[in-house]
Structure formats: C-alpha cells, structure tokens
Amino acid sequence: MCKLDRPPIFKYHCMAAIYHIQSNDIAIELIGENNLSGQEHVTDNIAAGILLISSSLTIGGSGTLNITFPENTEGNGASTCGIFVGSGDVTINGGTVNVTGGTASGSGSYSHGIYASGTVSISGGTVTATGGSAGISSRCCGIAAGQAVNISGGTVKATGGSGTSCGICVISPIGDASVTISGGTVTATGGEMAYSSYGIWARCNRSWQASVTITDSTVDR
C-alpha cells in the first residue's frame, strides 16, 4: 500500500497512475508490495507512474514500489518516465524503489527511470532506476535531474537506456550542475545499445560550473 499525505489530482492530458497538479508537496510511505503501470499508448503527452507538475515528492517507509512502463509515447516532446517531477525535487529516504522508463518516439522525446527538474536526493533504501528507449539524440537515463543529484546513503543502481544513455545525468539549463556521492553504494552505467553512453554526466552552460564529487562511498561506473 502506498500511503499519501494528500490525495492526488487527476487530469486528462497526461497519463499517470498517480498525477498531481497542485503546488503542495507529496509524501509517500511505502507499506508492503506496490505495483504501478499505465496506458499502452499515449500521443503527444507525458506518461509516468508518478507525475507531479508543481510540487516535490518524498518516498520513504519499509515497503516496495515497482513502476514499469510498457507504453509507447509518440509526438514531439513525448516522454515516458517511471517518476516525473516537472517543477520540484525527488527525495528517497527509505523503502525499495524499482523504476523503469518506457518507449518514446518523436523529436525531443526522452525516457528516464527518475526525473526531477530540481534535485534528486537519496539517503536510504534501495533504488534501482533504469532508462527506457527513445531516439538516437534523446536522453534515456536511470536518474536525471535539472540541478543536482545527491546520494548520501542507501544502495543505488542507475542504468541508462538507449539514445544518449546515462546512469546518472544532470543537465542544467541555468545555474550549476552537480553530482555529489558522499555515502552508500552506487552503481551508475550507461546503456549497452546506445548512441553515446556515460556512467555519470554533469553539464551546464559555460557561464556556470558542472561538477562530480565522490567521497566516502563505493561507486562502480
């Protein structure tokens, strides 16, 4: 059972098992085994197991969350992500989280296991995030963020999919881009069938700074 602190709000234009459009943050406490999946085909939309538009997401507890997306999305900008947070952060501090992106086609499409426009922070639990499949020039990452990825504990396995494939990827449109691993056990690998493949990648505008910092942890990449 997934226990939410507030009920989700559903809307027609995006497909998700849990969809929330309001600005208040969402916290999920994992209890037992939980499985999320979605529609088989979506056009010109975003498909995700959990999709938040204007808020942040926190996941904890002792249970398991499995998100798989067999969907195909098509059209410009279409995407399939296990977890998608369009304006906020993702924080995982407990539980077992297994997420896999789906198949996306069209210009600008992408497929990530976990995506946040802000920061992805993991301090506990076991996280397995796998990118899906998209076009050659598209990014398909296990964990992707727009500002930073911070891992300070837990066990994390992030694997890229097809296209431009990254285990962990931070690409900042404005401001610094950083990956900081200061604890836990982390495996970050690019996909095998990929146009280009990176274990960990941080990139930003040359006016800012991109950095990868690894201390006090076990990292394979």
Side-chain angles (χ1 to χ4, degrees):
M1 177 175 67
C2 292
K3 183 179 178 182
L4 283 71
D5 66 342
R6 294 178 184 270
I9 305 298
F10 293 92
K11 188 178 178 182
Y12 176 78
H13 297 292
C14 295
M15 304 303 296
I18 298 176
Y19 180 73
H20 187 74
I21 195 171
Q22 294 181 344
S23 59
N24 53 291
D25 296 339
I26 290 290
I28 296 177
E29 179 186 357
L30 297 176
I31 304 171
E33 187 87 8
N34 304 275
N35 299 294
L36 298 180
S37 61
Q39 303 297 315
E40 293 183 357
H41 189 89
V42 180
T43 301
D44 293 327
N45 276 323
I46 297 172
I50 300 175
L51 195 160
L52 277 59
I53 298 298
S54 303
S55 55
S56 294
L57 172 68
T58 298
I59 298 175
S62 59
T64 299
L65 174 62
N66 302 310
I67 301 177
T68 56
F69 262 75
E71 295 87 341
N72 175 57
T73 61
E74 63 181 7
N76 294 339
S79 68
T80 55
C81 297
I83 295 173
F84 180 95
V85 173
S87 181
D89 306 317
V90 172
T91 300
I92 300 174
N93 53 41
T96 298
V97 179
N98 304 310
V99 290
T100 301
T103 300
S105 60
S107 176
S109 62
Y110 53 90
S111 178
H112 306 309
I114 298 173
Y115 170 79
S117 63
T119 298
V120 176
S121 299
I122 300 172
S123 60
T126 300
V127 179
T128 302
T130 306
S133 174
I136 289 177
S137 61
S138 301
R139 291 190 302 277
C140 295
C141 305
I143 298 174
Q147 294 180 356
V149 171
N150 299 321
I151 300 173
S152 59
T155 299
V156 180
K157 182 179 180 180
T159 306
S162 67
T164 300
S165 174
C166 305
I168 297 173
C169 173
V170 178
I171 296 182
S172 175
I174 182 170
D176 296 340
S178 66
V179 176
T180 303
I181 301 173
S182 59
T185 300
V186 180
T187 303
T189 56
E192 295 181 359
M193 301 297 292
Y195 173 73
S196 57
S197 182
Y198 308 91
I200 299 174
W201 186 24
R203 190 185 79 179
C204 62
N205 186 289
R206 66 180 58 188
S207 300
W208 305 91
Q209 181 177 358
S211 64
V212 175
T213 304
I214 301 173
T215 57
D216 299 326
S217 59
T218 300
V219 178
D220 293 324
R221 61 190 189 279

